[in-house]
């Protein structure tokens, strides 16, 4: 019922996504105009119309894969951030809370140091991201039932993240300052500059099923927001749903980071925007966060690659936008508490 009542809003989000995606196709050093799109459309019905190879190369080999991946990465980071915020009952939680970002960063840095291929770089990043979260869960599980499970997961995430950040620092220290070190630093700042169509299949295969599964589990996350004991009385298998949600969100986040590098703030601020627009019900909040996150990263990516002659890493742009917004959230929350 919740989803049905928000169908017009979802249709609006789809329309906005398509509009911004088409506009993004035109942005770049090689100009693509509305006439070029018209020529491309007419060529579908008239084989005699010839499209300049530069246009097809720029559109289909460079910009289209990048735009699709940007939307999926932004949506993935946003929905996993909203999921963790709901599960941990903490609006200040981000997708990196369980160490996946630090683990993925170490994996990618190690692959760069070993001069591995881009495919193996993504593989290392993905695997070490999963390993980091597995280590967090193992540490948390070893504490038994004496302590609050959410708190021990967060504390374990902080510990594992600190270890992997230290390991990244070691790799940066021993890396060749002329080649490997700049590559490591650039990857850690996040970028979509080397995206190809082959990268699209990996994230589609994980993010879209994850979007569906997390959205269908939204009502269970709502029950968890009342506390574990209350959720159990309402028929929710707390440990099972927590493991499932962590597994799905970890897979989604690890895939996104392995492709784009570390892009901060998206999974933290976008759920707040979605919550302001449609409320806290996770069954609606999660898919809305996905769409708004995709739209946001499309805009940020378009800005980062066109504002100057040198492309700005996405992590820098999202930080410059996210930090002031976070200050605004804190000030607004403080005023509400005073009232």
């Amino acid at each position: 019922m919740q989803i049905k009542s928000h169908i017009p809003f979802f249709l609006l989000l789809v329309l906005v996504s398509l509009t911004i995606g088409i506009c993004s196709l035109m942005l770049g050093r090689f100009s693509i105009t509305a006439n070029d799109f018209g020529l491309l459309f007419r060529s579908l019905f008239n084989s005699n119309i010839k499209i300049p190879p530069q246009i097809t190369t720029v559109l289909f080999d460079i910009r289209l894969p990048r735009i699709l991946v940007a939307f999926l990465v932004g949506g993935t980071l946003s929905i996993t951030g909203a999921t963790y915020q709901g599960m941990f009952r903490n609006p200040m939680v981000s997708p990196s809370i369980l160490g996946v970002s630090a683990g993925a960063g170490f994996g990618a840095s190690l692959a760069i140091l070993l001069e591995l291929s881009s495919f193996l770089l993504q593989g290392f990043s993905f695997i070490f991201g999963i390993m980091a979260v597995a280590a967090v869960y193992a540490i948390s599980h070893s504490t038994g039932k004496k302590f609050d499970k959410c708190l021990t997961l967060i504390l374990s995430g902080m510990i594992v993240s600190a270890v992997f950040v230290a390991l990244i620092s070691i790799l940066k220290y021993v890396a060749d300052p002329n080649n490997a070190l700049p590559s490591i630093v650039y990857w850690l700042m996040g970028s979509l500059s080397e995206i190809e169509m082959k990268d699209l299949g990996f994230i589609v295969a994980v993010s879209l099923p994850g979007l569906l599964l997390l959205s269908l589990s939204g009502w269970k996350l709502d029950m968890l927001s009342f506390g574990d004991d209350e959720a159990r009385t309402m028929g929710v298998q707390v440990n099972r749903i927590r493991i499932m949600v962590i597994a799905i969100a970890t897979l989604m986040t690890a895939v996104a980071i392995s492709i784009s590098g570390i892009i901060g703030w998206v999974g933290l601020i976008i759920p707040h925007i979605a919550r302001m627009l449609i409320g806290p019900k996770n069954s609606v909040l999660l898919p809305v966060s996905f769409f708004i996150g995709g739209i946001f990263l499309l805009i940020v990516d378009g800005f980062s690659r066109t504002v100057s002659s040198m492309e700005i890493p996405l992590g820098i742009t999202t930080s410059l936008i996210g930090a002031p917004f976070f200050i605004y959230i804190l000030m607004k929350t403080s005023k509400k508490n005073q009232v």
Side-chain angles (χ1 to χ4, degrees), residues 219-220 223 230-238:
W219 70 273
K220 295 180 181 179
M223 297 301 102
E230 289 79 0
R232 288 190 182 96
T233 62
M234 297 176 187
V236 176
Q237 295 177 307
V238 173

Side-chain angles (χ1 to χ4, degrees), residues 190-237:
S191 174
L192 298 173
S193 60
E194 298 182 5
I195 292 297
E196 299 177 3
M197 191 60 77
K198 62 181 176 63
D199 299 317
L200 187 61
F202 191 24
I203 192 168
V204 166
V206 175
S207 292
L208 296 187
L211 165 65
L212 179 61
L213 291 172
L214 291 179
S215 298
L216 292 175
S217 303
W219 70 273
K220 295 180 181 179
L221 291 173
D222 290 336
M223 297 301 102
L224 284 177
S225 66
F226 295 108
D228 289 2
D229 294 334
E230 289 79 0
R232 288 190 182 96
T233 62
M234 297 176 187
V236 176
Q237 295 177 307

